[in-house]
């Protein structure tokens, strides 16, 4: 019981306040509960009922396997996208993507000079503002942190966490392609909210498909 408490409670409490939620953070808790459930089942069954368990446990195992086949775990699309970038783009490439640049730079660009450029301000981290000193404005206390009015009050005192995004620097990207810099567009997580930016890309460049979800930008 001490082991169960020490291995599950701290991480459970931590993720009550962590901004990102995912089942994998609770694997120690789920595994421990499974072990306890199995122990309790053995106690409830008692001696002389081993035959029931020999039938029941394989049946439950087959049921769990069938459930996983019917509802397989989703593919790690971000990781697959990062692997495509690393495999199919030159080491000096500029890669435009709707995947957050921190993740993509670590898995798709580590050890190279690849430059990861967010597609727009809708991409995670590209929308963030950095404030070096506390903004003491009483109006902020009445507003949600995601409220546009709050952002308007903070913006004069802040700087962009990511200064270069494709939607705001289209002309500079054109110059990079003209200079011979390989520029690619990774489209795995592009949705309808990026329709305007996508139209601008297609207006300025010819998108040449290299592999699924990965296009090289060429001048018309």
């Amino acid at each position: 019981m001490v082991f169960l408490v020490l291995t599950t409670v701290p991480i459970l409490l931590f993720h009550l306040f962590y901004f990102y939620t995912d089942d994998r953070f609770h694997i120690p808790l789920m595994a421990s509960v499974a072990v306890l459930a199995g122990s309790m089942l053995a106690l409830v069954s008692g001696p002389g009922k081993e035959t029931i368990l020999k039938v029941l446990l394989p049946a439950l195992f087959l049921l769990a396997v069938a459930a996983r086949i019917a509802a397989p775990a989703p593919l790690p699309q971000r990781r697959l996208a990062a692997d495509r970038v690393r495999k199919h783009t030159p080491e000096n490439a500029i890669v435009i993507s709707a995947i957050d640049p921190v993740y993509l730079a670590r898995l798709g660009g580590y050890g190279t000079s690849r430059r990861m450029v967010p597609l727009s301000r809708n991409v995670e981290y590209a929308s963030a503002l950095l404030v070096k000193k506390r903004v003491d404005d009483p109006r902020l206390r009445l507003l949600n942190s995601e409220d546009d009015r709050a952002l308007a009050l903070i913006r004069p005192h802040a700087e962009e966490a990511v200064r270069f995004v494709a939607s705001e620097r289209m002309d500079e990207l054109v110059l990079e392609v003209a200079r011979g810099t390989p520029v690619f567009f990774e489209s795995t997580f592009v949705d309808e909210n990026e329709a305007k930016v996508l139209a601008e890309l297609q207006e300025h460049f010819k998108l040449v498909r290299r592999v699924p979800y990965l296009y090289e930008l060429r001048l018309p």
Side-chain angles (χ1 to χ4, degrees), residues 25-84:
F25 297 135
H26 305 291
I27 288 177
L29 175 61
M30 292 186 285
S32 299
V33 170
V35 171
L36 288 176
S39 302
M40 293 173 65
L41 179 62
L43 290 173
V44 170
S45 300
K49 298 181 181 179
E50 291 84 358
T51 303
I52 297 176
L53 290 178
K54 288 180 180 179
V55 175
L56 181 60
L57 293 179
L60 290 175
F61 174 75
L62 292 175
L63 182 62
V65 171
R68 174 52 70 188
I69 294 173
L75 293 173
Q77 295 294 345
R78 289 203 311 170
R79 178 58 186 267
L80 293 175
D83 289 345
R84 277 194 297 272

Side-chain angles (χ1 to χ4, degrees), residues 112-153:
T112 72
S113 57
R114 290 186 185 91
R115 182 180 173 190
M116 307 305 174
V117 175
L119 180 62
S120 72
R121 291 292 173 194
N122 295 326
V123 178
E124 188 175 2
Y125 296 114
S127 60
L129 295 173
L130 300 179
V131 181
K132 295 182 179 179
K133 295 183 179 180
R134 179 183 177 87
V135 179
D136 292 320
D137 191 321
R139 292 172 294 178
L140 289 172
R141 300 171 189 169
L142 305 176
L143 300 174
N144 184 282
S145 61
E146 297 181 358
D147 193 307
D148 290 340
R149 292 172 295 174
L151 293 176
L153 293 172

Side-chain angles (χ1 to χ4, degrees), residues 80-101:
L80 293 175
D83 289 345
R84 277 194 297 272
V85 166
R86 194 168 189 87
K87 183 177 180 181
H88 297 287
T89 65
E91 292 194 354
N92 65 330
I94 295 174
V95 181
I96 302 167
S97 178
I99 297 174
D100 79 73

Side-chain angles (χ1 to χ4, degrees), residues 128-132 154-163:
L129 295 173
L130 300 179
V131 181
K132 295 182 179 179
I154 293 172
R155 193 173 297 278
H157 309 278
E159 60 181 278
E160 304 284 359
V162 179
R163 297 180 181 179

